Structure formats: C-alpha cells, structure tokens
Amino acid sequence: MEEMRKEIDVGDWHSNLAHDEWTPLPVSGTRASARYKHAAVVVDEKLYIVGGSRNGRYLSDVQVFDLRSLTWSTLKLKTESSSAENIQEDDGSSLREAFPAVSDHRMIKWGNKLLLIGGHSKKSSDNMSGQPYSAFLLIECCFKFAYFCFDSFLTVRFIDLETHLCGVVDASGNVPVSRGGHSITLVGSRLFVFGGEDKNRRLLNDLHVLDLETMTWDVVETTQTRPVPRFDHTAATHSDRYLVIFGGCSHSIFYSDLHILDLQTMEWSQPHVQGDVVTPRAGHAGITIDENWYIVGGGDNSTGCLETLVLNMSKLVWSTSTNVEARHPLASEGLSVCSASVFGENILVAFGGYNGKYNNDIFVMRLKARESSHPKIFKSPAAAAAAASVTAAYAIAKSDKSDYPPPANPTLNGIGTSIPESDIRNRIDAIKEEKRTLESSVAETQVENVKLREKIDEVNSSHTELSQELQSVQGQLISERSRCFKLEAQIAELQKALESGQSIEAEVEMLRRQKSASDEGEDGTTVQRQGSGGGVWGLFGR
C-alpha cells in the first residue's frame, strides 16, 4: 500500500487511476483519527467526516479531506449561546463548541447545510459499550452495563457549511422514536427513514418521511409484506419512484435480501434478482451513480465482505465490480463511501471502518463508463400477439384514407397498367373487413391479457405468502437447532452420569461380595470358638 501511495502524484493523482480498482491515496500532514460508524458526504471536492466511534468512545469532531490537495483539516463547529462557558470571538460574538459525540447516525447535504439524522450517544462514564458488533458476544454483555443517552424522539441536527454554526432543527408532526443504524433516502424534498435500532435495542421496520421544506414528520402507511426489522442496512432510490432496501441484520441473523417500495402505490415487493450470488452482510456502505448502486464492505461478525458489488436497478442484476484481499480496510464494517466529481471525473471515495482494527485510510475508485440500460419489459405471448395485431391494424388504417376518390389513372407497381375502379373498391372493402377482424382479435387478446394479469397477481400473492411462511419456518428451524444443541449437551452430560453410575454400581457389587466373604469367614471362626468353649466348660464341669 505504501508503494502504491508513492507512485501517485499528489498534483495529478487522478490521471493514473485504474478503472474499477480501489487505490489508496497519499495524505499530507496529520490524518483524521481512525473510526467506524461515522457519517460522510462530499461537498465541492471535500469529504466531510462527522462523528463515529473508536475503542468504545464516541466522537464529536468534524474532519474535512480536500480531494485536490489530499490534506486533512478539522472544522470547528460553534453555536450561539449565553452560557458562561462561551468563547469570545474577535468580533465580540458569543460562540462555543456544541456538537455532541454521536455514532451510527446518517447525514445528507440540503442546501448549504449538512443534516444529521438520529444516531447513538452515551455518557462519558461508560467504557464498555460502542464496541464493533463483529464481537457480538462481547456486545451482548456490554449492553447490560452501558447506559445510552438517547433523545426520546429522532433528532435532526444541522451544520451550516458557510458559518460553521450547528444546532438542532425544530421539526413537528409525528416525530419517530430515536434510533441508530437506520437508513435515510432523499427523494426530491422528502427524506425517508427506515428501520434501525431504538434505545432499548428494539429492532424496527417502520417507515417515516420528513418534508425538508416544512420540516414536518409523518408516518408512511404501506401495503404488502414489509422487510423484517433490521439495522445497519443500506437504502437507495431509483427513478425517484422506488425505494430499495438491501441487507442489514437482526441481533443474530444477517440478510442479503432486496426489498422495493413503490412510492406511488406504497406497496412493498421482493423481486427476483439475477446475476452474482450475494452473501449476507451488515454495516456495509452504498452509493448510487445513475442507475447503478455500488455496495462496499460489510460483514457477518466473522468475516468481512471482499467484493464491491454493483446492482443495476433497472434490470435488477447483481455483478461484482472488483475484489480486495482478506483483512483489507475495505472489507470492513461501519465504513463510508461517497461519490465525488474531481478534476471533472466521477470517482468513489471510501473511508474508515473496522475489521479487527480501526481504519483511517482514504481509498478511491475510478468508475468505468457503463452503458445506460432501460427497464426490462417482459411480455406474455398474448401481449405480444396483441402488439402485433395493433401494429398491423395501424398500418391498414394508415393506408385507408377514408374513401378518398381513387386517382384517375391508377397504376400497379409503376408499370402503368390501369386497374378498374370496381377492383379497387373490392380491395378496399376486403381491407376494411380484415381491419375489423384484427380489431376483434385485439379485443380478444386484451381480455386474455387481463386474465393473465389476474393470474400473475394470484401467483405474486401466493409467492408473498410462501415467502412469509419460509421466513417463519427458517425462524422455527433456527430455534429448533438451538434446542437440539442444548439437548445434545444434556444427553452428553447424562451419558457421563450413566457411565459414572455404572462404575459406582460395579464398585458397590464388589464391596458386597467382599462383605459377604468377610461375613462367611467370621461365622466359621465363631463356630470354632463356640465348640472349643463348650469343651472347656465341660472340663470344668467335671
């Protein structure tokens, strides 16, 4: 990695980048501290990193990486206040540091501000929580002793990029409960928030929307089967109409499923996806470029994910863009990835994460130009026949000019042979009859198409029910496996106790035999003593 950094010219580093390969960037000066579960966004060729956690400590700093000069700097945030702890600026204004330490939050750019949604924070006295969830058993114990300081409701904070002031946005409406590990997706001026984990570690799968123009929250009512509750998933939007959810985890299960919400009908679906096999993961990062959704990193508590995935959201096809080696910083949980336009070229920028150690390297990937595709339309045979019939009818109707008088000297194929007017009329009548026949066929085909759509809806409904049943059976299977493990352990203990009991029983039987033999020996001795005693008393009796 150091050799690769030396080969990159800081002044013209973008020109030597290979397509679809991650490359570490050299950094001048002091680096930002390593972390994971931070928030990141690129604005004007600068990467903003806010918060995160490291070694159980939550961070409140804002670090800025200049993608042209390749240097880090710290952004000092302040807020107006009348507190005695204020710092007096040169102009006499009263400002002080005011941003809280936060982790597992989400961030977007809106206007000249950065908006931070939700996240976890904790008391400074805690020194056990906030560890990477890749040590899951340790986290289970740590959460019994950690006391998180959550707001009761989801907090929206802002950072003004011009004045560097920060604060809390006043929002009204049906404000959702506080959470971390959720996803946010911007569609126009609406910000959709899905899932996450609340302050009691309860997993969520609710959907809320924040109107950024009025700063009003509302609950989104949806139909069909929602994704199961989860956190540390990713979300994206396609064509400003579809909300796409991928991956994430519960407290024991990691997911690789894909769910789509139609924002016009508010119906959930779980479509059939083609392409490369995708392994379950959580804590990954995602960013969309046109119709392609890039997924980087993540893990399943035991291994990190080495591949950078690309989902073509029009065709719903997974592919692998590139791979990294095991233990690579990009095979991490809690990293971030952003898109940036630097020197007029689109690149991906990744930072941070945890894969056994905390990372603070900057990686970039030059994107290969991809052909723009269109949504794939699947037609049934009936629909294809209807389309052909409509095309033929349109061609006939176009040739029929509503009984226009024929030319005075019609010709055939330009030869100049005259055609009787009666023959032309007969041909026109025949064409009209054929047109009526085709229109009738189109109508019949449309009826058949409606029936096929009804059957497709039934199949989709059955598929949804079967998917629900499958999830239920999988849950039962996991429970039964756990119970089987416990029973096997109990059986092993009972077998050991049984073997021990058999050994004890053999020892008891041996002791019984020894006692019986001992008793027989004592009886013979007694008889002899009694016989001898009788003779002596008889002698004295004489």
Side-chain angles (χ1 to χ4, degrees):
M1 188 177 297
E2 292 299 330
E3 292 177 357
M4 293 176 66
R5 288 194 180 100
K6 292 178 182 179
E7 294 176 358
I8 299 176
D9 182 7
V10 174
D12 193 27
W13 59 265
H14 70 288
S15 60
N16 298 322
L17 295 178
H19 286 96
D20 286 355
E21 290 185 12
W22 288 105
T23 304
L25 287 183
V27 176
S28 300
T30 305
R31 292 172 173 267
S33 61
R35 67 193 68 199
Y36 89 135
K37 291 193 175 184
H38 51 279
V41 68
V42 171
V43 180
D44 297 333
E45 300 183 345
K46 292 183 178 180
L47 174 66
Y48 290 83
I49 302 294
V50 181
S53 63
R54 172 186 172 88
N55 295 328
R57 183 171 62 91
Y58 286 9
L59 308 176
S60 62
D61 59 334
V62 179
Q63 302 293 330
V64 184
F65 183 74
D66 192 314
L67 291 167
R68 280 184 173 267
S69 63
L70 305 184
T71 57
W72 282 102
S73 61
T74 300
L75 184 65
K76 298 296 183 181
L77 297 181
K78 303 176 188 243
T79 183
E80 295 181 350
S81 174
S82 59
S83 170
E85 300 175 355
N86 294 343
I87 301 174
Q88 295 296 325
E89 297 293 312
D90 294 337
D91 59 358
S93 60
S94 179
L95 300 174
R96 67 181 178 87
E97 298 291 337
F99 203 78
V102 64
S103 175
D104 223 2
H105 49 297
R106 303 295 179 259
M107 180 170 65
I108 62 165
K109 179 183 180 294
W110 180 250
N112 65 336
K113 294 181 175 63
L114 301 181
L115 298 183
L116 289 85
I117 317 296
H120 298 329
S121 60
K122 66 174 185 177
K123 296 179 181 179
S124 59
S125 59
D126 296 331
N127 56 8
M128 291 291 291
S129 59
Q131 298 295 325
Y133 64 77
S134 56
F136 180 73
L137 295 178
L138 178 61
I139 277 291
E140 286 291 319
C141 297
C142 290
F143 266 101
K144 294 180 180 179
F145 302 100
Y147 298 93
F148 287 94
C149 297
F150 284 78
D151 297 315
S152 298
F153 298 99
L154 195 63
T155 302
V156 180
R157 297 182 174 89
F158 75 89
I159 297 174
D160 193 310
L161 295 178
E162 296 178 356
T163 64
H164 298 175
L165 293 178
C166 65
V168 176
V169 177
D170 292 330
S172 59
N174 297 320
V175 183
V177 298
S178 61
R179 65 193 65 200
H182 49 292
S183 64
I184 62 172
T185 311
L186 184 63
V187 182
S189 63
R190 297 182 300 167
L191 186 68
F192 289 88
V193 177
F194 175 80
E197 185 183 38
D198 70 6
K199 63 181 181 180
N200 297 317
R201 298 202 69 208
R202 180 172 62 96
L203 297 177
L204 307 169
N205 66 344
D206 51 348
L207 183 66
H208 300 263
V209 61
L210 174 64
D211 189 325
L212 296 179
E213 294 181 348
T214 62
M215 283 298 167
T216 304
W217 284 102
D218 200 1
V219 180
V220 180
E221 299 295 340
T222 60
T223 60
Q224 304 303 327
T225 304
R226 293 183 292 177
V228 297
R230 65 189 64 199
F231 71 105
D232 282 355
H233 54 279
T234 51
T237 181
H238 177 51
S239 300
D240 286 338
R241 174 174 176 176
Y242 301 101
L243 176 65
V244 188
I245 303 293
F246 168 68
C249 65
S250 66
H251 293 147
S252 58
I253 301 175
F254 290 77
Y255 303 111
S256 61
D257 50 354
L258 191 76
H259 297 264
I260 295 180
L261 175 67
D262 189 329
L263 297 177
Q264 291 185 2
T265 63
M266 289 302 170
E267 291 182 348
W268 285 104
S269 63
Q270 191 170 0
H272 175 69
V273 185
Q274 299 176 333
D276 294 348
V277 176
V278 177
T279 56
R281 68 195 65 202
H284 48 286
I287 190 69
T288 56
I289 306 292
D290 297 327
E291 62 186 11
N292 296 309
W293 191 14
Y294 292 84
I295 302 295
V296 184
D300 60 0
N301 279 356
S302 58
T303 60
C305 296
L306 309 181
E307 67 276 10
T308 296
L309 300 172
V310 184
L311 174 67
N312 185 305
M313 292 190 288
S314 291
K315 295 183 177 181
L316 292 180
V317 176
W318 283 110
S319 61
T320 301
S321 174
T322 186
N323 287 277
V324 297
E325 298 178 353
R327 312 301 297 177
H328 192 279
L330 290 180
S332 298
E333 303 166 358
L335 78 167
S336 63
V337 63
C338 303
S339 64
S341 178
V342 184
F343 302 103
E345 189 167 12
N346 289 333
I347 61 172
L348 298 185
V349 184
F351 171 78
Y354 178 86
N355 62 353
K357 72 171 186 177
Y358 297 93
N359 302 307
N360 64 347
D361 289 311
I362 292 283
F363 288 86
V364 294
M365 184 168 75
R366 189 179 190 183
L367 298 179
K368 183 184 296 182
R370 299 176 184 270
E371 296 182 358
S372 178
S373 58
H374 300 282
K376 194 171 183 179
I377 301 175
F378 298 93
K379 291 183 178 179
S380 65
S389 300
V390 170
T391 302
Y394 175 75
I396 294 172
K398 187 176 181 181
S399 64
D400 184 5
K401 297 300 182 178
S402 301
D403 295 333
Y404 280 164
N409 295 310
T411 59
L412 181 62
N413 296 331
I415 299 175
T417 305
S418 298
I419 300 175
E421 183 177 348
S422 60
D423 290 346
I424 294 176
R425 291 290 183 185
N426 291 335
R427 290 187 181 185
I428 291 175
D429 292 338
I431 291 173
K432 287 182 178 180
E433 182 63 28
E434 185 177 357
K435 175 185 174 183
R436 285 191 290 269
T437 302
L438 290 173
E439 288 176 345
S440 176
S441 175
V442 168
E444 293 176 357
T445 304
Q446 288 176 344
V447 172
E448 182 181 355
N449 195 24
V450 170
K451 293 180 180 179
L452 289 175
R453 286 179 180 175
E454 292 177 352
K455 291 183 179 179
I456 290 173
D457 291 340
E458 292 178 1
V459 171
N460 288 336
S461 177
S462 176
H463 175 71
T464 300
E465 294 176 357
L466 291 174
S467 298
Q468 293 176 350
E469 185 177 354
L470 176 61
Q471 292 178 355
S472 176
V473 170
Q474 288 176 340
Q476 295 176 3
L477 179 60
I478 293 173
S479 177
E480 290 298 324
R481 285 177 179 173
S482 177
R483 193 165 66 90
C484 287
F485 291 151
K486 292 180 180 178
L487 289 175
E488 289 177 355
Q490 293 177 357
I491 290 173
E493 292 179 357
L494 290 174
Q495 286 178 342
K496 290 181 180 179
L498 180 61
E499 293 175 357
S500 176
Q502 291 176 348
S503 175
I504 292 173
E505 185 177 354
E507 291 180 1
V508 169
E509 182 63 25
M510 183 178 67
L511 291 173
R512 286 177 178 171
R513 291 178 181 177
Q514 291 177 355
K515 182 176 184 302
S516 176
S518 175
D519 290 342
E520 290 178 359
E522 290 177 357
D523 290 343
T525 304
T526 303
V527 170
Q528 291 177 0
R529 289 178 178 175
Q530 288 178 351
S532 174
V536 171
W537 286 111
L539 180 61
F540 285 140
R542 296 191 183 122

